[in-house]
Coordinates of all heavy atoms in Angstrom, one line a residue:
M30 N -19.3 -29.6 -3.1 CA -18.5 -28.4 -3.3 C -18.0 -27.8 -2.0 O -18.7 -27.6 -1.1 CB -19.4 -27.3 -4.0 CG -18.7 -26.1 -4.5 SD -19.8 -24.9 -5.3 CE -20.7 -25.9 -6.4
P31 N -16.7 -27.7 -1.9 CA -16.1 -27.3 -0.6 C -16.4 -25.9 -0.1 O -16.6 -25.7 1.0 CB -14.6 -27.5 -0.8 CG -14.4 -27.4 -2.3 CD -15.7 -27.9 -2.9
F32 N -16.5 -25.0 -1.0 CA -16.7 -23.6 -0.6 C -17.0 -22.8 -1.8 O -16.9 -23.2 -3.0 CB -15.5 -23.0 0.2 CG -14.3 -23.0 -0.6 CD1 -13.8 -21.8 -1.3 CD2 -13.5 -24.1 -0.7 CE1 -12.6 -21.8 -2.0 CE2 -12.3 -24.1 -1.4 CZ -11.8 -22.9 -2.0
L33 N -17.5 -21.6 -1.6 CA -17.8 -20.7 -2.8 C -16.9 -19.4 -2.6 O -16.6 -19.0 -1.5 CB -19.3 -20.2 -2.8 CG -20.3 -21.4 -3.0 CD1 -21.7 -20.8 -2.9 CD2 -20.1 -22.0 -4.4
I34 N -16.5 -18.9 -3.7 CA -15.7 -17.6 -3.7 C -16.6 -16.5 -4.2 O -17.3 -16.6 -5.3 CB -14.5 -17.8 -4.6 CG1 -13.6 -18.9 -4.0 CG2 -13.7 -16.5 -4.8 CD1 -12.3 -19.2 -4.9
D35 N -16.6 -15.4 -3.5 CA -17.5 -14.3 -3.8 C -16.7 -13.3 -4.7 O -15.9 -12.5 -4.2 CB -17.9 -13.6 -2.5 CG -19.0 -12.6 -2.8 OD1 -19.6 -12.6 -3.9 OD2 -19.3 -11.8 -1.9
C36 N -16.9 -13.4 -6.0 CA -16.2 -12.5 -6.9 C -17.0 -11.2 -6.9 O -18.2 -11.2 -7.1 CB -16.2 -13.2 -8.3 SG -15.5 -12.1 -9.6
P37 N -16.3 -10.1 -6.8 CA -17.0 -8.8 -6.8 C -17.7 -8.5 -8.1 O -18.7 -7.7 -8.1 CB -15.9 -7.8 -6.5 CG -14.6 -8.5 -6.8 CD -14.9 -9.9 -6.6
N38 N -17.3 -9.1 -9.2 CA -17.9 -8.9 -10.5 C -19.0 -9.9 -10.9 O -20.0 -9.6 -11.5 CB -16.9 -8.9 -11.6 CG -15.8 -7.8 -11.4 OD1 -16.1 -6.7 -11.0 ND2 -14.6 -8.2 -11.6
C39 N -18.9 -11.1 -10.4 CA -19.7 -12.2 -10.9 C -20.6 -12.8 -9.8 O -21.5 -13.6 -10.1 CB -18.9 -13.3 -11.5 SG -17.7 -12.8 -12.7
G40 N -20.3 -12.5 -8.5 CA -21.1 -13.1 -7.4 C -20.4 -14.4 -6.9 O -19.3 -14.7 -7.2
R41 N -21.2 -15.1 -6.1 CA -20.7 -16.3 -5.5 C -20.5 -17.4 -6.6 O -21.5 -17.8 -7.2 CB -21.6 -16.8 -4.4 CG -21.5 -15.9 -3.2 CD -22.2 -16.5 -2.0 NE -22.0 -15.7 -0.8 CZ -21.0 -15.9 0.0 NH1 -20.1 -16.8 -0.2 NH2 -20.9 -15.1 1.1
R42 N -19.3 -18.0 -6.7 CA -19.0 -19.0 -7.7 C -18.2 -20.1 -7.1 O -17.6 -20.0 -6.1 CB -18.2 -18.3 -8.8 CG -18.9 -17.2 -9.6 CD -20.2 -17.8 -10.2 NE -20.9 -16.8 -10.9 CZ -20.8 -16.5 -12.2 NH1 -20.1 -17.3 -13.0 NH2 -21.6 -15.6 -12.8
S43 N -18.3 -21.2 -7.8 CA -17.5 -22.4 -7.5 C -16.0 -22.1 -7.6 O -15.6 -21.5 -8.5 CB -17.9 -23.6 -8.4 OG -16.9 -24.6 -8.4
P44 N -15.3 -22.7 -6.7 CA -13.8 -22.5 -6.8 C -13.2 -23.2 -8.0 O -12.1 -22.8 -8.5 CB -13.3 -23.2 -5.5 CG -14.3 -24.1 -5.1 CD -15.6 -23.5 -5.5
Y45 N -14.0 -24.1 -8.7 CA -13.5 -24.7 -9.9 C -13.4 -23.7 -11.1 O -12.8 -24.0 -12.1 CB -14.3 -25.9 -10.2 CG -14.3 -27.0 -9.1 CD1 -15.5 -27.2 -8.4 CD2 -13.2 -27.6 -8.8 CE1 -15.4 -28.1 -7.4 CE2 -13.1 -28.6 -7.8 CZ -14.3 -28.8 -7.1 OH -14.2 -29.7 -6.0
E46 N -14.1 -22.6 -10.9 CA -14.0 -21.6 -12.0 C -12.7 -20.7 -11.8 O -12.4 -19.9 -12.7 CB -15.2 -20.6 -11.9 CG -16.5 -21.3 -12.2 CD -17.7 -20.2 -12.3 OE1 -17.4 -19.0 -12.2 OE2 -18.8 -20.7 -12.4
F47 N -12.0 -20.9 -10.8 CA -10.8 -20.1 -10.5 C -9.6 -20.8 -10.5 O -9.5 -22.1 -10.4 CB -11.0 -19.5 -9.0 CG -12.1 -18.6 -8.8 CD1 -13.4 -19.0 -8.6 CD2 -11.9 -17.2 -8.8 CE1 -14.5 -18.2 -8.4 CE2 -13.0 -16.3 -8.6 CZ -14.2 -16.8 -8.4
K48 N -8.5 -20.1 -10.7 CA -7.1 -20.7 -10.6 C -6.5 -20.1 -9.3 O -6.5 -18.9 -9.1 CB -6.3 -20.3 -11.8 CG -4.9 -20.9 -11.8 CD -4.1 -20.5 -13.0 CE -2.8 -21.2 -13.1 NZ -1.8 -20.8 -12.2
F49 N -6.0 -21.0 -8.5 CA -5.3 -20.6 -7.3 C -4.0 -19.8 -7.6 O -3.2 -20.3 -8.4 CB -5.0 -21.8 -6.4 CG -4.3 -21.4 -5.1 CD1 -5.0 -20.7 -4.1 CD2 -3.0 -21.8 -4.9 CE1 -4.3 -20.4 -2.9 CE2 -2.4 -21.5 -3.7 CZ -3.0 -20.8 -2.7
G50 N -3.8 -18.6 -7.1 CA -2.7 -17.8 -7.5 C -1.6 -17.8 -6.4 O -0.7 -17.0 -6.5
G51 N -1.8 -18.5 -5.3 CA -0.8 -18.5 -4.3 C -1.2 -17.6 -3.1 O -2.1 -16.8 -3.2
E52 N -0.4 -17.7 -2.1 CA -0.6 -16.9 -0.9 C -0.1 -15.5 -1.1 O 0.9 -15.3 -1.9 CB 0.1 -17.6 0.3 CG 1.6 -17.7 0.1 CD 2.2 -18.8 1.0 OE1 1.6 -19.8 1.3 OE2 3.4 -18.6 1.4
C53 N -0.7 -14.5 -0.5 CA -0.2 -13.2 -0.6 C 1.0 -13.0 0.3 O 0.9 -13.4 1.5 CB -1.4 -12.2 -0.1 SG -2.8 -12.3 -1.1
K54 N 2.0 -12.5 -0.2 CA 3.2 -12.2 0.6 C 3.9 -11.0 0.0 O 3.7 -10.6 -1.1 CB 4.1 -13.4 0.6 CG 4.5 -14.0 -0.7 CD 5.2 -15.3 -0.5 CE 5.4 -16.0 -1.8 NZ 6.0 -17.3 -1.7
R55 N 4.7 -10.4 0.8 CA 5.4 -9.2 0.5 C 6.6 -9.5 -0.5 O 7.4 -10.4 -0.3 CB 6.0 -8.5 1.7 CG 6.6 -7.2 1.5 CD 7.1 -6.6 2.8 NE 7.8 -5.4 2.6 CZ 7.2 -4.2 2.7 NH1 6.0 -4.1 2.9 NH2 7.9 -3.2 2.4
A56 N 6.6 -8.8 -1.6 CA 7.7 -8.9 -2.6 C 9.0 -8.4 -2.1 O 9.0 -7.4 -1.3 CB 7.3 -8.2 -3.9
P57 N 10.1 -9.0 -2.5 CA 11.4 -8.5 -2.0 C 11.6 -7.1 -2.6 O 11.0 -6.7 -3.6 CB 12.4 -9.5 -2.6 CG 11.7 -10.6 -3.2 CD 10.2 -10.2 -3.3
D58 N 12.6 -6.4 -2.1 CA 13.0 -5.1 -2.7 C 13.5 -5.3 -4.1 O 14.0 -6.3 -4.4 CB 14.1 -4.4 -1.8 CG 13.6 -4.1 -0.4 OD1 12.4 -3.7 -0.3 OD2 14.5 -4.1 0.5
P59 N 13.3 -4.3 -5.0 CA 13.7 -4.4 -6.4 C 15.1 -4.8 -6.6 O 15.5 -5.5 -7.5 CB 13.4 -3.0 -7.0 CG 12.4 -2.4 -6.1 CD 12.6 -3.0 -4.7
G60 N 16.0 -4.4 -5.7 CA 17.4 -4.8 -5.8 C 17.8 -6.0 -5.1 O 19.0 -6.4 -5.0
A61 N 16.9 -6.8 -4.7 CA 17.2 -8.1 -3.9 C 17.9 -9.1 -4.8 O 17.7 -9.0 -6.1 CB 15.9 -8.7 -3.3
D62 N 18.6 -10.0 -4.2 CA 19.3 -11.0 -5.0 C 18.4 -12.1 -5.6 O 17.2 -12.1 -5.3 CB 20.4 -11.7 -4.2 CG 19.9 -12.5 -3.0 OD1 18.7 -12.6 -2.9 OD2 20.7 -12.9 -2.2
V63 N 18.9 -12.9 -6.5 CA 18.1 -13.9 -7.2 C 17.5 -14.9 -6.3 O 16.3 -15.3 -6.5 CB 19.0 -14.6 -8.3 CG1 18.3 -15.8 -8.9 CG2 19.5 -13.7 -9.3
K64 N 18.2 -15.3 -5.3 CA 17.6 -16.3 -4.3 C 16.3 -15.7 -3.7 O 15.3 -16.4 -3.5 CB 18.6 -16.7 -3.3 CG 18.0 -17.7 -2.3 CD 19.0 -18.1 -1.2 CE 18.4 -19.2 -0.3 NZ 17.0 -19.2 0.0
A65 N 16.4 -14.4 -3.3 CA 15.2 -13.8 -2.6 C 14.0 -13.8 -3.6 O 12.9 -14.1 -3.2 CB 15.6 -12.4 -2.2
W66 N 14.3 -13.5 -4.9 CA 13.2 -13.5 -5.9 C 12.7 -14.9 -6.2 O 11.5 -15.1 -6.3 CB 13.6 -12.8 -7.2 CG 13.6 -11.3 -7.0 CD1 14.6 -10.5 -6.8 CD2 12.4 -10.5 -7.0 NE1 14.1 -9.2 -6.6 CE2 12.8 -9.2 -6.8 CE3 11.0 -10.8 -7.2 CZ2 11.8 -8.1 -6.8 CZ3 10.1 -9.8 -7.2 CH2 10.5 -8.5 -7.0
C67 N 13.6 -15.9 -6.2 CA 13.2 -17.3 -6.5 C 12.3 -17.8 -5.3 O 11.3 -18.4 -5.5 CB 14.4 -18.2 -6.6 SG 15.2 -18.0 -8.3
D68 N 12.8 -17.5 -4.1 CA 12.0 -17.9 -2.9 C 10.6 -17.2 -2.9 O 9.6 -17.9 -2.6 CB 12.7 -17.5 -1.6 CG 13.9 -18.3 -1.3 OD1 14.2 -19.3 -2.1 OD2 14.7 -18.0 -0.4
Y69 N 10.5 -16.0 -3.3 CA 9.3 -15.3 -3.4 C 8.3 -15.9 -4.4 O 7.1 -16.1 -4.2 CB 9.5 -13.8 -3.7 CG 8.3 -13.0 -4.0 CD1 7.3 -12.7 -3.1 CD2 8.1 -12.6 -5.3 CE1 6.2 -12.0 -3.4 CE2 6.9 -11.9 -5.7 CZ 6.0 -11.6 -4.7 OH 4.9 -10.9 -5.0
L70 N 8.9 -16.2 -5.6 CA 8.1 -16.7 -6.7 C 7.7 -18.2 -6.5 O 6.6 -18.6 -7.0 CB 8.8 -16.5 -8.0 CG 9.0 -15.0 -8.4 CD1 9.9 -14.9 -9.6 CD2 7.6 -14.4 -8.7
Y71 N 8.6 -19.0 -6.0 CA 8.4 -20.4 -6.1 C 8.1 -21.2 -4.7 O 7.7 -22.3 -4.8 CB 9.5 -21.1 -6.8 CG 9.7 -20.6 -8.2 CD1 10.7 -19.8 -8.6 CD2 8.7 -20.8 -9.2 CE1 10.8 -19.3 -9.8 CE2 8.8 -20.3 -10.4 CZ 9.9 -19.5 -10.8 OH 10.0 -19.0 -12.0
L72 N 8.4 -20.5 -3.6 CA 8.3 -21.2 -2.3 C 7.0 -20.7 -1.7 O 6.8 -19.5 -1.6 CB 9.5 -21.0 -1.4 CG 10.8 -21.6 -1.9 CD1 11.9 -21.3 -0.9 CD2 10.7 -23.1 -2.2
Y73 N 6.3 -21.7 -1.1 CA 5.0 -21.3 -0.4 C 5.2 -21.9 1.0 O 5.8 -22.9 1.3 CB 3.8 -22.0 -1.1 CG 3.6 -21.4 -2.4 CD1 3.9 -22.2 -3.6 CD2 3.0 -20.2 -2.6 CE1 3.7 -21.7 -4.8 CE2 2.8 -19.7 -3.9 CZ 3.1 -20.4 -5.0 OH 2.9 -20.0 -6.3
E74 N 4.5 -21.2 1.9 CA 4.5 -21.6 3.3 C 3.6 -22.8 3.5 O 3.9 -23.7 4.3 CB 4.1 -20.5 4.3 CG 5.1 -19.5 4.5 CD 4.7 -18.5 5.6 OE1 4.1 -19.0 6.6 OE2 5.0 -17.4 5.5
N75 N 2.5 -22.9 2.7 CA 1.6 -24.0 2.8 C 1.1 -24.3 4.2 O 1.2 -25.4 4.7 CB 2.3 -25.3 2.2 CG 1.2 -26.3 1.8 OD1 0.1 -26.0 1.6 ND2 1.6 -27.6 1.8
M76 N 0.7 -23.2 4.8 CA 0.4 -23.2 6.2 C -1.0 -23.8 6.5 O -1.9 -23.9 5.6 CB 0.4 -21.8 6.8 CG -0.6 -20.9 6.2 SD -0.6 -19.3 7.0 CE -1.3 -19.7 8.6
S77 N -1.3 -24.3 7.7 CA -2.6 -24.7 8.1 C -3.2 -23.5 8.9 O -2.6 -23.1 9.9 CB -2.5 -25.9 9.0 OG -2.1 -27.0 8.3
G78 N -4.3 -23.0 8.5 CA -4.9 -21.9 9.2 C -5.3 -20.8 8.2 O -5.5 -21.1 7.0
V79 N -5.5 -19.6 8.7 CA -6.0 -18.5 7.9 C -4.9 -17.8 7.2 O -3.8 -17.5 7.8 CB -6.7 -17.5 8.9 CG1 -7.1 -16.2 8.1 CG2 -7.9 -18.1 9.6
Q80 N -5.1 -17.6 5.9 CA -4.1 -16.9 5.1 C -4.8 -16.1 4.0 O -5.9 -16.4 3.6 CB -3.0 -17.8 4.5 CG -3.6 -18.7 3.4 CD -2.5 -19.6 2.7 OE1 -1.3 -19.6 3.2 NE2 -2.8 -20.3 1.7
D81 N -4.1 -15.1 3.6 CA -4.6 -14.3 2.4 C -4.1 -14.9 1.1 O -2.9 -15.3 1.1 CB -4.1 -12.8 2.5 CG -4.8 -12.1 3.7 OD1 -5.9 -12.4 4.0 OD2 -4.1 -11.2 4.3
E82 N -5.0 -15.0 0.2 CA -4.6 -15.7 -1.1 C -5.1 -15.0 -2.3 O -6.0 -14.2 -2.3 CB -5.3 -17.1 -1.1 CG -5.0 -18.0 0.0 CD -5.8 -19.2 0.1 OE1 -6.9 -19.3 -0.5 OE2 -5.3 -20.2 0.7
W83 N -4.4 -15.2 -3.4 CA -4.8 -14.7 -4.7 C -5.5 -15.8 -5.5 O -5.1 -16.9 -5.5 CB -3.6 -14.2 -5.5 CG -2.9 -13.0 -5.0 CD1 -1.7 -12.9 -4.4 CD2 -3.4 -11.7 -5.1 NE1 -1.4 -11.6 -4.1 CE2 -2.4 -10.8 -4.5 CE3 -4.5 -11.1 -5.6 CZ2 -2.6 -9.4 -4.4 CZ3 -4.7 -9.7 -5.5 CH2 -3.8 -8.9 -4.9
W84 N -6.6 -15.4 -6.1 CA -7.4 -16.3 -7.0 C -7.7 -15.6 -8.3 O -8.0 -14.4 -8.3 CB -8.7 -16.7 -6.3 CG -8.5 -17.7 -5.2 CD1 -8.0 -17.4 -3.9 CD2 -8.6 -19.1 -5.2 NE1 -7.9 -18.5 -3.1 CE2 -8.3 -19.6 -3.9 CE3 -9.1 -20.0 -6.2 CZ2 -8.4 -20.9 -3.6 CZ3 -9.1 -21.4 -5.8 CH2 -8.8 -21.8 -4.6
Y85 N -7.6 -16.3 -9.4 CA -7.9 -15.7 -10.7 C -9.1 -16.3 -11.3 O -9.2 -17.5 -11.4 CB -6.7 -15.9 -11.6 CG -6.8 -15.3 -13.0 CD1 -6.8 -14.0 -13.1 CD2 -6.9 -16.1 -14.1 CE1 -7.0 -13.4 -14.4 CE2 -7.1 -15.6 -15.4 CZ -7.1 -14.2 -15.5 OH -7.2 -13.6 -16.7
H86 N -10.1 -15.5 -11.7 CA -11.4 -16.0 -12.2 C -11.3 -16.3 -13.6 O -11.7 -15.6 -14.5 CB -12.5 -15.0 -11.9 CG -13.8 -15.6 -11.9 ND1 -15.0 -14.9 -11.6 CD2 -14.2 -16.9 -12.1 CE1 -16.0 -15.7 -11.7 NE2 -15.6 -16.9 -12.0
T87 N -10.7 -17.5 -13.9 CA -10.4 -17.9 -15.3 C -11.7 -18.1 -16.1 O -11.7 -17.9 -17.3 CB -9.6 -19.2 -15.3 OG1 -10.2 -20.2 -14.6 CG2 -8.2 -19.0 -14.8
M88 N -12.7 -18.7 -15.5 CA -14.0 -19.0 -16.2 C -15.0 -17.9 -16.0 O -16.2 -18.2 -16.1 CB -14.5 -20.4 -15.8 CG -13.4 -21.5 -16.1 SD -13.9 -23.1 -15.5 CE -15.1 -23.5 -16.6
G89 N -14.6 -16.7 -15.7 CA -15.5 -15.6 -15.4 C -15.0 -14.3 -15.9 O -14.7 -14.2 -17.1
C90 N -14.8 -13.4 -15.1 CA -14.5 -12.0 -15.5 C -13.0 -11.8 -15.7 O -12.5 -10.8 -16.1 CB -14.9 -11.0 -14.4 SG -14.2 -11.3 -12.8
R91 N -12.2 -12.9 -15.5 CA -10.7 -12.9 -15.7 C -10.0 -11.8 -14.9 O -9.2 -11.0 -15.4 CB -10.4 -12.7 -17.2 CG -10.9 -13.9 -18.0 CD -10.4 -13.7 -19.4 NE -10.5 -15.1 -20.1 CZ -9.5 -15.9 -20.1 NH1 -8.3 -15.6 -19.6 NH2 -9.6 -17.1 -20.7
S92 N -10.5 -11.6 -13.6 CA -9.9 -10.7 -12.7 C -9.2 -11.4 -11.6 O -9.6 -12.5 -11.2 CB -11.0 -9.8 -12.1 OG -11.6 -9.0 -13.1
W93 N -8.2 -10.8 -11.0 CA -7.6 -11.3 -9.8 C -8.3 -10.8 -8.6 O -8.8 -9.7 -8.6 CB -6.1 -10.9 -9.7 CG -5.2 -11.6 -10.6 CD1 -4.8 -11.2 -11.9 CD2 -4.6 -12.9 -10.4 NE1 -3.9 -12.1 -12.4 CE2 -3.8 -13.2 -11.5 CE3 -4.7 -13.8 -9.3 CZ2 -3.1 -14.4 -11.6 CZ3 -3.9 -15.0 -9.4 CH2 -3.1 -15.2 -10.6
L94 N -8.5 -11.6 -7.6 CA -9.0 -11.2 -6.3 C -8.3 -11.8 -5.2 O -7.7 -12.8 -5.3 CB -10.6 -11.4 -6.2 CG -11.0 -12.8 -6.4 CD1 -12.1 -13.1 -5.4 CD2 -11.6 -13.0 -7.8
K95 N -8.4 -11.1 -4.1 CA -7.7 -11.5 -2.9 C -8.7 -12.0 -1.9 O -9.7 -11.2 -1.7 CB -6.9 -10.4 -2.3 CG -6.0 -10.7 -1.2 CD -5.1 -9.5 -1.0 CE -4.9 -9.2 0.5 NZ -4.1 -8.0 0.7
I96 N -8.6 -13.2 -1.3 CA -9.5 -13.6 -0.3 C -8.7 -14.1 0.9 O -7.5 -14.4 0.8 CB -10.4 -14.8 -0.8 CG1 -9.6 -16.0 -1.1 CG2 -11.2 -14.3 -2.0 CD1 -10.5 -17.2 -1.3
R97 N -9.4 -14.1 2.1 CA -8.8 -14.6 3.3 C -9.5 -15.9 3.6 O -10.8 -16.0 3.7 CB -9.0 -13.7 4.5 CG -8.4 -14.2 5.8 CD -8.3 -13.1 6.8 NE -7.2 -12.2 6.4 CZ -6.9 -11.1 6.9 NH1 -7.7 -10.6 7.8 NH2 -5.9 -10.3 6.5
R98 N -8.8 -17.0 3.6 CA -9.4 -18.4 3.7 C -8.7 -19.2 4.8 O -7.5 -19.1 4.9 CB -9.3 -19.1 2.3 CG -9.9 -20.5 2.3 CD -9.8 -21.0 0.9 NE -8.4 -21.3 0.5 CZ -7.8 -22.5 0.6 NH1 -8.5 -23.5 1.0 NH2 -6.6 -22.7 0.2
N99 N -9.5 -20.0 5.5 CA -8.9 -20.9 6.4 C -8.6 -22.2 5.6 O -9.5 -22.8 5.0 CB -9.9 -21.3 7.5 CG -9.3 -22.2 8.6 OD1 -8.6 -23.1 8.2 ND2 -9.6 -21.9 9.8
T100 N -7.3 -22.6 5.5 CA -6.9 -23.7 4.6 C -7.3 -25.0 5.1 O -7.3 -26.0 4.4 CB -5.4 -23.6 4.4 OG1 -4.7 -23.8 5.7 CG2 -4.9 -22.3 3.7
V101 N -7.7 -25.1 6.4 CA -8.2 -26.4 7.0 C -9.7 -26.6 6.7 O -10.1 -27.6 6.2 CB -7.9 -26.4 8.5 CG1 -8.4 -27.7 9.1 CG2 -6.4 -26.2 8.7
T102 N -10.5 -25.5 7.0 CA -11.9 -25.7 6.9 C -12.4 -25.1 5.5 O -13.6 -25.3 5.2 CB -12.6 -24.9 8.0 OG1 -12.3 -23.5 7.9 CG2 -12.2 -25.4 9.3
H103 N -11.6 -24.4 4.8 CA -12.0 -23.7 3.5 C -13.0 -22.6 3.8 O -13.6 -22.1 2.8 CB -12.5 -24.7 2.5 CG -11.5 -25.7 2.1 ND1 -10.4 -25.4 1.5 CD2 -11.6 -27.0 2.2 CE1 -9.7 -26.5 1.2 NE2 -10.4 -27.5 1.7
E104 N -13.2 -22.2 5.0 CA -14.1 -21.1 5.3 C -13.4 -19.8 4.8 O -12.3 -19.5 5.0 CB -14.3 -20.9 6.8 CG -15.1 -19.7 7.2 CD -15.1 -19.4 8.7 OE1 -14.3 -20.1 9.4 OE2 -15.8 -18.6 9.1
I105 N -14.3 -19.0 4.0 CA -13.8 -17.7 3.5 C -14.2 -16.7 4.6 O -15.3 -16.6 5.1 CB -14.5 -17.3 2.2 CG1 -14.4 -18.4 1.2 CG2 -14.1 -15.9 1.7 CD1 -13.1 -18.4 0.5
I106 N -13.2 -15.9 5.0 CA -13.4 -14.9 6.1 C -13.6 -13.6 5.5 O -12.8 -13.1 4.8 CB -12.2 -14.9 7.1 CG1 -12.2 -16.3 7.8 CG2 -12.4 -13.8 8.1 CD1 -10.8 -16.8 8.0
E107 N -14.8 -13.0 5.7 CA -15.1 -11.7 5.1 C -14.4 -10.6 5.9 O -14.2 -10.7 7.1 CB -16.7 -11.4 5.2 CG -17.5 -12.5 4.6 CD -17.4 -12.5 3.1 OE1 -17.0 -11.5 2.5 OE2 -17.6 -13.6 2.5
E108 N -14.0 -9.6 5.2 CA -13.3 -8.5 5.9 C -14.2 -7.3 5.9 O -15.1 -7.1 5.1 CB -12.0 -8.1 5.1 CG -11.0 -9.2 5.2 CD -9.7 -8.8 4.6 OE1 -9.3 -7.6 4.8 OE2 -9.1 -9.6 3.9
Ligands
ZN225 ZN1 -15.6 -12.9 -11.7

């Protein structure tokens, strides 16, 4: 098991219980053009290193949570 995700409702759980929701990024302004919204929704930086991510606990409490993870080592960084 590569790492555990600490769900505030369920405790430390396997990442296989979650669905990856993508990296956290700032949404475009409400009046932004279609390209800006498509880029926001469908393009990912897919970076190597530390990033903030959304995870959905599909096999648990069905809540979204935000974690900071090193994408190379899978280390979860506590805030
Ligand atoms: Zn949970």
Side-chain angles (χ1 to χ4, degrees):
M30 186 178 314
F32 59 99
L33 295 174
I34 296 176
D35 192 13
C36 175
N38 301 316
C39 308
R41 290 190 173 273
R42 297 298 179 96
S43 163
Y45 301 112
E46 293 187 9
F47 294 80
K48 180 180 188 292
F49 180 68
E52 61 202 33
C53 298
K54 51 190 174 182
R55 185 179 175 92
D58 292 330
D62 63 9
V63 172
K64 182 182 182 324
W66 279 101
C67 286
D68 290 352
Y69 169 71
L70 292 171
Y71 300 110
L72 295 182
Y73 296 103
E74 285 192 34
N75 199 21
M76 65 176 289
S77 294
V79 176
Q80 71 176 5
D81 293 328
E82 304 172 334
W83 289 107
W84 288 78
Y85 183 66
H86 201 177
T87 53
M88 300 173 75
C90 61
R91 298 184 160 268
S92 296
W93 284 97
L94 57 140
K95 187 169 136 182
I96 64 170
R97 179 166 287 167
R98 181 176 67 97
N99 185 318
T100 60
V101 177
T102 64
H103 298 297
E104 176 191 8
I105 307 281
I106 295 142
E107 305 290 336
E108 293 184 41

